[in-house]
Amino acid sequence: MTALNERDSALTRRTKPARPGQSRRPHGSLLLFLFPAVALVGVLLILPFLFTIYRSFFRDNGFSRSWVGLENYTTLLTDDIFVRSVLNTGMWTAGTLLLPVLLGLLIAVGTNSVRWGPIARFAIVLPYALSGAVTALLWNFMLQTDGATNALLSALGLSALERPWLLEWPMNTIVMIIATTWQATGASMILFLVGLQAIPAETIEAGRVDGAGGFRLFRSIVLPQLRPISVVVVGISLVNSLKTFDIVWLLTRGGPGTSSETLALTMYRQTFTLSRYGYGAAVAVILTVIVLVASWTYLRRQLRAN
Amino acid sequence: MSATTRSTTTITRRTALRMAGGVGAAAILPACARGTLTRAAPGDDVTLNNDNPTWAPGFEAAGEVLHATTGHGFAIRAVPDVSSYQQIVRMSAQTDSTTDLVKWWNGYRLQDVARAEIFADLTAAWDQAERNGWVDPSLRDSFSYDGRPYAIPLYQSYYAVFYSQSAYQRLGLEVPQDWDEFIANAQALRDGGVTPIASGGVDSWESLIWFQQLLIGLDPDFYAALTDGQASYTDDTAQEAMAIWVDMYEQELFSPPDTQVTELPGRFAEGSVGMNLHGAWNTNAFVQAGMDEDTFGLFLLPAVASTAPHAVVTESGALAVTVNAHKRSAAMDVAGAWLDTDVQRAWVGFLSDLSANPAALPPVQPVRDLATQVEQTSPVLATRYWEASPPVLVEGNVEELSAFMAEPTLAMAQATLRRMQERAEAEWDRWLL
C-alpha cells in the first residue's frame, strides 16, 4: 500500500502541470507546439466563420452589398422551404442515428465470434469503400421510376408496390436514408468491432460464471463497456447527418421542387445557384449553430457521464 | 571524413534545401494566386472559359479559322459544373484573374451581370455582324442591357420535337401539321406500346420546356408579357396551359418525369420512345451516338390554339468579353469575327446545331430540315424561359414546375401557378431595386 502511494505520488509529481509564472520554459514551448494547430483552425475555420456571420447581415449578390441587419434571419424563419429543410434535416438525423448505428452495433456483436463472421463483415463493409457519388449513381439506377426496383417488383407480379420512389415526399427522404444506411453501416460496425475486441475477456467470463448469457450478458456486461466507442460512433453520425449533402444532391437535387432539401442543400442553392450570398450565409450560420449545439450538448453529457 | 567536413556538408545541404524550397515557393505561390484557369494564354491566343468541356474540339476548329482572319485563336478553359462556373465568372471577372472571353447566357442572365459592368460593350462587333448580314438584328435586344449589347450569340438553337423514325414508321405516322394531329400521333404511339413523349425535368431545368411551349402555343404575346412581369401567372392563359399539360399527363402521353435525356438516343434507336421536345442542340448527342436522319427527325411543334401564330422558343448561348481581360483588344477582334460565316461553319460543323448566322448550316440533315421549316414558317421567336425573366425568379419557378411534374394534377397546377406568381411579385420588386 505504501509502495503504491509512493508510486502515485511520483506520478502526480511528474504529470502535475506547471503553474503560470512558475516556469516559463515549458509554457513557452507548449505554445510553440500549439501554434500550428491553433493557427490552422483560426485561419481556416474561425476567421471564415466570423466573416460568414458578418456577411449574413447583408443583401449581397456578389457585385453589390447593402446592410439589412437581421432581415435574412427573419425571412428564413418565415420561409416554408427553410422550415421543410429543417424538418428533412431532423429526419436525416433521426434516421442516421437509428439505422446505421443500431445496425452496425447489432452486426458487430452478431458476427464477432462466429465462424462466418469475417465474410458477413466483408459484405457489410464493402459499400463503405464506394464513394458517395458512385453510391448515388447505383441507387439512382434502382430508384428511378423506370429503374431496377420497380422492374423487379413488376417481374415478381408485385406491381401494386411500384412507387415513384424519389418523386414523393417523405418517401424520397426515407429511401435516401436507407441508401446512406447501406453505405455507412460498415463504418459503424468497424468501430464497434474495435470496441468489442477491446473488452477484456475476463469480464465476459466473469459474467458467464455468474450465470449471465445471451441478451443479459450483452446488456449488462458488453454494452456498458462499449460506451466510449458508442460516444464516438454516435457523435460522428450526428455531425454527418446534420451536414448531409452529396447523396441528396446527386439523387434528387433537393427536389421535386425543394421537397427533399436539407439545410446544407438550402445553403448551397441560395449561395451558389441563386447568388444570394447573404441569405446563404444566414443558413450556414444557423446550420453551424445547430451542429455545434447538438455536438456540444451530446459530448458534454456523455463525457461527463464517463 | 572529419567532423569539420561533415558539419560543412550538412550546412551546405541545408542551404541548398532552403534555396530550393525558396525557389519552389516563389514559383508555386504566384501560380496558386493566379490559377491555371485564368492565366493569360501564351502567344497570340485568347482564353475562353465555358461550362461545357465537350465543346473544346468545336472551339478549336473555330479558333483555327479565327486565327487566319484575326491572328488570334482560342485557349479553352472549362468548368463542367454550371453553378461553379457561374460563381467563378462572377467573382473572377471583377479581378485581373479572368479569362479574356466567357460563355454566358442572354436575356436577363446577361443583364444580371452586365449591370455590374464586368463585360465590355460589343456595339462595334454587332454593327460589323449586322453590316455583313451575319445575324438577324432583331436578336440584338436579348443581348443588350440599357441599350448596349454586351455579348454576341454563341449559337441559335430552337426548341423542336425530336421523333423516332422507327417508331413513326412502324405505326405509319406522319409529321403532324396541327396540334390535333400531334396529340393523335402521341395517342397512337401510346396505344402501340411506345412511350409517346419523353419528358424529364423533375430534378432539372427541363421542367420549363413544356410550360413555355404550351404558353407560346396558346399566345406568344402573353408569354412575352408574363416573362416581362406585365402579366400574372394566375391569368387565364397560364391556367389553360397548365390544364392542357395535366390533360396530357392524364392521357398518359408523357414518360415518368425522372427520365434522363441522355437515354434518348438509345431509346429512339430501339423505337421505345416516340418523341421528345428539346433544344435542337441535343442533336449532338444523337450524332455522337452514330445516328442520322434514318433514325430521328425534327419538327416544329404546331400552335396549340388554332388562332395563335407560329411560334418557337429559341436559346442562344452568349459570348462576352470581360472588362478586365488580359488581351482585351484581341478578344474584341475575336468577338467581332465570331459570327463570320466561315468561323460559324467550323463551329456548327462540330456542334450539329444552328448558328445565329443563317448561312452557316451544320452537315446534319434533321437540323438543316429544321432550319428550312423555320425559314418557311417565319415563327414568332420567344426567348427561352431560363433567360426570359430575372434568374432568381426563374430558378425558383423551375423548381415549382419540377414539383408539379411529380404530381401533375389540376389542384397542384393551380397551387403551382399561385406560388409562381407570389415569387414573381417578390422577385420583380428585388430586380427593380
Coordinates of all heavy atoms in Angstrom, one line a residue, chain B residues 7-67:
Chain B
S7 N 30.3 18.6 -40.9 CA 29.5 19.8 -40.5 C 29.3 20.7 -41.7 O 28.2 21.2 -42.0 CB 30.2 20.5 -39.4 OG 29.6 21.8 -39.2
T8 N 30.4 20.9 -42.5 CA 30.3 21.8 -43.6 C 29.3 21.2 -44.6 O 28.4 22.0 -45.2 CB 31.7 21.9 -44.3 OG1 32.6 22.3 -43.3 CG2 31.6 23.0 -45.4
T9 N 29.4 19.9 -44.8 CA 28.5 19.2 -45.8 C 27.0 19.5 -45.4 O 26.2 19.8 -46.2 CB 28.8 17.7 -45.9 OG1 30.1 17.6 -46.1 CG2 28.0 17.1 -47.0
T10 N 26.7 19.3 -44.1 CA 25.4 19.4 -43.6 C 24.8 20.8 -43.8 O 23.7 21.0 -44.3 CB 25.3 19.1 -42.1 OG1 26.0 17.9 -41.8 CG2 23.9 19.1 -41.6
I11 N 25.7 21.8 -43.5 CA 25.2 23.2 -43.7 C 24.9 23.5 -45.2 O 23.9 24.0 -45.6 CB 26.3 24.2 -43.2 CG1 26.3 24.1 -41.6 CG2 26.0 25.6 -43.6 CD1 27.5 24.7 -41.0
T12 N 25.8 22.9 -46.0 CA 25.6 23.2 -47.5 C 24.3 22.6 -47.9 O 23.6 23.2 -48.7 CB 26.8 22.5 -48.2 OG1 28.0 23.0 -47.7 CG2 26.7 22.9 -49.7
R13 N 24.1 21.3 -47.4 CA 22.8 20.7 -47.8 C 21.6 21.5 -47.4 O 20.7 21.6 -48.1 CB 22.8 19.2 -47.3 CG 21.8 18.3 -47.9 CD 21.9 16.9 -47.4 NE 23.2 16.3 -47.8 CZ 23.7 15.3 -47.1 NH1 23.1 14.8 -46.0 NH2 24.8 14.7 -47.5
R14 N 21.7 21.9 -46.1 CA 20.6 22.7 -45.6 C 20.3 24.0 -46.5 O 19.2 24.3 -46.8 CB 20.8 23.1 -44.2 CG 20.4 22.1 -43.2 CD 20.6 22.6 -41.8 NE 20.4 21.5 -40.8 CZ 20.8 21.6 -39.6 NH1 21.4 22.7 -39.1 NH2 20.5 20.6 -38.8
T15 N 21.5 24.6 -46.7 CA 21.4 25.8 -47.5 C 20.8 25.6 -48.9 O 19.9 26.3 -49.3 CB 22.8 26.5 -47.7 OG1 23.4 26.5 -46.4 CG2 22.7 27.9 -48.3
A16 N 21.3 24.4 -49.5 CA 20.7 24.1 -50.8 C 19.2 23.8 -50.7 O 18.5 24.2 -51.5 CB 21.5 22.8 -51.3
L17 N 18.8 23.1 -49.6 CA 17.4 22.8 -49.5 C 16.6 24.0 -49.3 O 15.5 24.2 -49.9 CB 17.2 21.8 -48.3 CG 17.6 20.4 -48.5 CD1 17.5 19.6 -47.2 CD2 16.6 19.7 -49.5
R18 N 17.2 24.9 -48.5 CA 16.4 26.2 -48.2 C 16.2 27.0 -49.6 O 15.2 27.5 -49.8 CB 17.2 27.1 -47.3 CG 16.9 26.7 -45.8 CD 17.6 27.7 -44.9 NE 17.6 27.2 -43.6 CZ 18.6 27.3 -42.7 NH1 19.8 27.8 -43.1 NH2 18.5 26.8 -41.5
M19 N 17.4 27.0 -50.3 CA 17.3 27.7 -51.6 C 16.3 27.1 -52.5 O 15.4 27.8 -53.1 CB 18.7 27.8 -52.3 CG 19.6 28.8 -51.6 SD 21.3 28.7 -52.3 CE 20.9 29.2 -54.0
A20 N 16.3 25.7 -52.6 CA 15.4 25.0 -53.4 C 14.0 25.3 -53.0 O 13.1 25.5 -53.8 CB 15.7 23.5 -53.4
G21 N 13.8 25.2 -51.6 CA 12.4 25.5 -51.1 C 12.0 26.9 -51.4 O 10.8 27.1 -51.8
G22 N 12.9 27.9 -51.3 CA 12.6 29.2 -51.6 C 12.2 29.4 -53.0 O 11.1 30.0 -53.4
V23 N 13.0 28.8 -53.9 CA 12.7 28.9 -55.4 C 11.4 28.3 -55.7 O 10.5 28.8 -56.4 CB 13.8 28.3 -56.2 CG1 13.4 28.2 -57.7 CG2 15.1 29.1 -56.0
G24 N 11.1 27.1 -55.1 CA 9.9 26.3 -55.3 C 8.7 27.2 -54.8 O 7.7 27.3 -55.6
A25 N 8.8 27.7 -53.6 CA 7.7 28.5 -53.1 C 7.4 29.7 -54.0 O 6.3 30.1 -54.3 CB 8.0 29.0 -51.7
A26 N 8.6 30.4 -54.4 CA 8.4 31.6 -55.3 C 7.7 31.2 -56.6 O 7.0 32.0 -57.1 CB 9.8 32.1 -55.6
A27 N 8.0 30.0 -57.1 CA 7.3 29.5 -58.3 C 5.9 29.1 -58.1 O 5.0 29.4 -58.9 CB 8.1 28.4 -58.9
I28 N 5.6 28.5 -56.9 CA 4.3 27.9 -56.7 C 3.3 29.0 -56.3 O 2.2 29.0 -56.7 CB 4.4 26.8 -55.7 CG1 5.1 25.6 -56.3 CG2 3.0 26.3 -55.2 CD1 5.5 24.5 -55.3
L29 N 3.7 29.8 -55.3 CA 2.8 30.8 -54.8 C 2.1 31.7 -55.8 O 0.9 31.8 -55.8 CB 3.4 31.6 -53.6 CG 3.7 30.8 -52.4 CD1 4.4 31.6 -51.3 CD2 2.4 30.2 -51.8
P30 N 2.9 32.3 -56.7 CA 2.1 33.1 -57.7 C 1.2 32.3 -58.5 O 0.1 32.8 -58.9 CB 3.3 33.7 -58.5 CG 4.5 33.6 -57.7 CD 4.3 32.4 -56.9
A31 N 1.6 31.1 -58.8 CA 0.8 30.2 -59.6 C -0.5 29.9 -58.9 O -1.6 29.9 -59.5 CB 1.5 28.9 -59.9
C32 N -0.4 29.7 -57.5 CA -1.6 29.4 -56.8 C -2.5 30.7 -56.8 O -3.7 30.6 -56.9 CB -1.3 29.1 -55.3 SG -0.5 27.5 -55.1
A33 N -1.8 31.8 -56.7 CA -2.6 33.1 -56.6 C -3.4 33.3 -57.9 O -4.4 33.8 -57.9 CB -1.7 34.2 -56.3
R34 N -2.8 32.9 -59.0 CA -3.4 33.2 -60.3 C -4.2 32.0 -60.8 O -5.3 32.2 -61.4 CB -2.4 33.6 -61.3 CG -2.9 34.2 -62.5 CD -1.9 35.0 -63.2 NE -1.6 36.3 -62.6 CZ -2.2 37.4 -63.0 NH1 -3.1 37.4 -63.9 NH2 -1.9 38.5 -62.4
G35 N -3.8 30.8 -60.6 CA -4.6 29.7 -61.1 C -4.5 29.4 -62.6 O -4.5 30.4 -63.4
T36 N -4.5 28.2 -63.0 CA -4.3 27.9 -64.4 C -5.5 28.2 -65.2 O -5.3 28.5 -66.4 CB -4.0 26.4 -64.6 OG1 -5.0 25.7 -63.9 CG2 -2.7 26.0 -64.0
L37 N -6.7 28.3 -64.6 CA -7.9 28.6 -65.4 C -7.9 30.0 -65.9 O -8.5 30.3 -66.9 CB -9.1 28.4 -64.5 CG -9.8 27.1 -64.4 CD1 -10.9 27.1 -63.4 CD2 -10.3 26.7 -65.8
T38 N -7.2 30.9 -65.2 CA -7.4 32.3 -65.5 C -6.1 33.0 -66.0 O -6.1 34.3 -66.0 CB -8.0 33.0 -64.3 OG1 -7.2 32.7 -63.2 CG2 -9.4 32.6 -64.1
R39 N -5.0 32.3 -66.2 CA -3.8 32.9 -66.7 C -4.0 33.3 -68.1 O -4.7 32.7 -68.9 CB -2.6 31.9 -66.6 CG -1.8 32.2 -65.3 CD -0.6 31.3 -65.3 NE -1.1 29.9 -65.3 CZ -0.3 28.9 -65.1 NH1 1.0 29.1 -64.8 NH2 -0.7 27.6 -65.1
A40 N -3.2 34.3 -68.6 CA -3.2 34.7 -70.0 C -2.7 33.6 -70.8 O -1.8 32.8 -70.4 CB -2.4 36.0 -70.2
A41 N -3.3 33.4 -72.0 CA -2.8 32.4 -72.9 C -1.5 32.8 -73.5 O -1.2 34.0 -73.7 CB -3.8 32.2 -74.0
P42 N -0.6 31.8 -73.8 CA 0.7 32.2 -74.4 C 0.5 32.6 -75.9 O -0.5 32.3 -76.5 CB 1.5 30.9 -74.3 CG 0.5 29.8 -74.2 CD -0.7 30.4 -73.5
G43 N 1.4 33.4 -76.4 CA 1.3 33.8 -77.8 C 0.2 34.7 -78.1 O -0.2 35.5 -77.2
D44 N -0.4 34.5 -79.3 CA -1.5 35.4 -79.7 C -2.9 34.9 -79.3 O -3.9 35.6 -79.6 CB -1.4 35.6 -81.2 CG -0.1 36.3 -81.7 OD1 0.3 37.1 -80.9 OD2 0.4 35.9 -82.7
D45 N -3.0 33.7 -78.7 CA -4.3 33.2 -78.4 C -5.0 34.0 -77.3 O -4.3 34.6 -76.5 CB -4.2 31.7 -78.0 CG -3.8 30.8 -79.2 OD1 -3.9 31.4 -80.3 OD2 -3.5 29.6 -79.0
V46 N -6.3 33.9 -77.3 CA -7.1 34.5 -76.2 C -7.8 33.3 -75.4 O -8.1 32.3 -76.0 CB -8.2 35.5 -76.7 CG1 -7.5 36.7 -77.2 CG2 -9.0 34.8 -77.8
T47 N -7.9 33.5 -74.1 CA -8.6 32.5 -73.3 C -10.1 32.6 -73.4 O -10.6 33.7 -73.4 CB -8.1 32.6 -71.8 OG1 -8.2 33.9 -71.4 CG2 -6.7 32.1 -71.7
L48 N -10.7 31.5 -73.4 CA -12.2 31.4 -73.4 C -12.7 30.4 -72.4 O -12.3 29.2 -72.4 CB -12.7 31.0 -74.8 CG -14.2 30.5 -74.9 CD1 -15.1 31.7 -74.5 CD2 -14.5 30.1 -76.3
N49 N -13.5 30.9 -71.4 CA -14.0 30.0 -70.4 C -15.4 29.6 -70.7 O -16.2 30.4 -71.1 CB -13.9 30.7 -69.0 CG -13.8 29.7 -67.8 OD1 -13.9 28.5 -68.1 ND2 -13.7 30.2 -66.6
N50 N -15.8 28.3 -70.5 CA -17.1 27.9 -70.7 C -17.5 26.7 -69.8 O -16.6 26.2 -69.0 CB -17.3 27.5 -72.2 CG -16.7 26.2 -72.5 OD1 -17.4 25.2 -72.6 ND2 -15.4 26.1 -72.7
D51 N -18.8 26.4 -69.8 CA -19.2 25.3 -68.8 C -19.5 24.0 -69.5 O -20.2 23.2 -69.0 CB -20.5 25.8 -68.2 CG -21.6 26.1 -69.1 OD1 -21.4 26.1 -70.4 OD2 -22.8 26.3 -68.7
N52 N -18.9 23.8 -70.7 CA -19.1 22.5 -71.4 C -17.8 22.0 -72.0 O -17.4 22.4 -73.1 CB -20.1 22.7 -72.5 CG -20.6 21.4 -73.1 OD1 -19.9 20.4 -72.9 ND2 -21.8 21.4 -73.6
P53 N -17.1 21.2 -71.2 CA -15.7 20.7 -71.7 C -15.8 19.9 -73.0 O -14.8 19.9 -73.8 CB -15.3 19.7 -70.6 CG -16.1 20.1 -69.4 CD -17.4 20.6 -69.9
T54 N -17.0 19.4 -73.3 CA -17.1 18.6 -74.6 C -17.1 19.5 -75.8 O -16.9 19.0 -76.9 CB -18.4 17.7 -74.6 OG1 -19.5 18.6 -74.7 CG2 -18.5 16.8 -73.4
W55 N -17.2 20.8 -75.6 CA -17.2 21.7 -76.8 C -15.8 22.1 -77.2 O -15.6 22.8 -78.3 CB -17.9 23.0 -76.4 CG -19.4 22.9 -76.4 CD1 -20.2 21.9 -76.9 CD2 -20.3 23.9 -76.0 NE1 -21.5 22.2 -76.7 CE2 -21.6 23.4 -76.2 CE3 -20.2 25.2 -75.4 CZ2 -22.8 24.2 -75.8 CZ3 -21.3 25.9 -75.1 CH2 -22.6 25.4 -75.3
A56 N -14.8 21.6 -76.5 CA -13.4 22.1 -76.8 C -13.0 21.8 -78.3 O -12.5 22.7 -78.9 CB -12.4 21.4 -75.9
P57 N -13.3 20.6 -78.9 CA -12.9 20.5 -80.3 C -13.6 21.5 -81.2 O -13.0 21.9 -82.2 CB -13.4 19.0 -80.6 CG -13.5 18.4 -79.3 CD -13.9 19.4 -78.3
G58 N -14.8 21.8 -80.9 CA -15.6 22.8 -81.7 C -14.9 24.2 -81.6 O -14.8 24.8 -82.7
F59 N -14.6 24.6 -80.4 CA -13.9 25.9 -80.3 C -12.6 25.9 -80.9 O -12.2 26.9 -81.5 CB -13.8 26.2 -78.8 CG -15.0 26.7 -78.1 CD1 -15.5 26.1 -76.9 CD2 -15.8 27.7 -78.6 CE1 -16.7 26.6 -76.3 CE2 -16.9 28.2 -78.0 CZ -17.4 27.6 -76.9
E60 N -11.9 24.8 -80.9 CA -10.6 24.7 -81.5 C -10.7 24.8 -83.0 O -9.9 25.5 -83.7 CB -9.8 23.4 -81.1 CG -9.1 23.6 -79.8 CD -8.9 22.3 -79.0 OE1 -8.9 21.3 -79.7 OE2 -8.6 22.4 -77.8
A61 N -11.7 24.1 -83.6 CA -11.9 24.2 -85.0 C -12.3 25.6 -85.4 O -11.7 26.1 -86.4 CB -13.1 23.3 -85.4
A62 N -13.1 26.3 -84.7 CA -13.5 27.7 -85.0 C -12.3 28.6 -84.8 O -12.1 29.5 -85.5 CB -14.7 28.1 -84.1
G63 N -11.5 28.3 -83.7 CA -10.3 29.1 -83.4 C -9.3 29.1 -84.5 O -8.6 30.1 -84.8
E64 N -9.2 27.9 -85.2 CA -8.2 27.9 -86.4 C -8.6 28.8 -87.5 O -7.8 29.5 -88.1 CB -8.2 26.4 -86.9 CG -7.3 25.5 -86.0 CD -7.3 24.1 -86.5 OE1 -7.6 23.9 -87.7 OE2 -7.1 23.2 -85.7
V65 N -9.9 28.9 -87.7 CA -10.4 29.8 -88.8 C -10.2 31.3 -88.3 O -9.8 32.1 -89.1 CB -11.9 29.5 -89.1 CG1 -12.4 30.4 -90.3 CG2 -12.1 28.1 -89.5
L66 N -10.6 31.5 -87.0 CA -10.4 32.8 -86.4 C -8.9 33.3 -86.5 O -8.7 34.4 -86.8 CB -10.8 32.8 -85.0 CG -12.3 33.0 -84.7 CD1 -12.6 32.7 -83.2 CD2 -12.8 34.4 -85.0
H67 N -8.0 32.4 -86.3 CA -6.6 32.7 -86.3 C -6.2 33.2 -87.7 O -5.4 34.1 -87.8 CB -5.8 31.5 -85.9 CG -4.4 31.8 -85.5 ND1 -3.4 31.9 -86.4 CD2 -3.8 32.2 -84.3 CE1 -2.2 32.2 -85.8 NE2 -2.5 32.4 -84.5

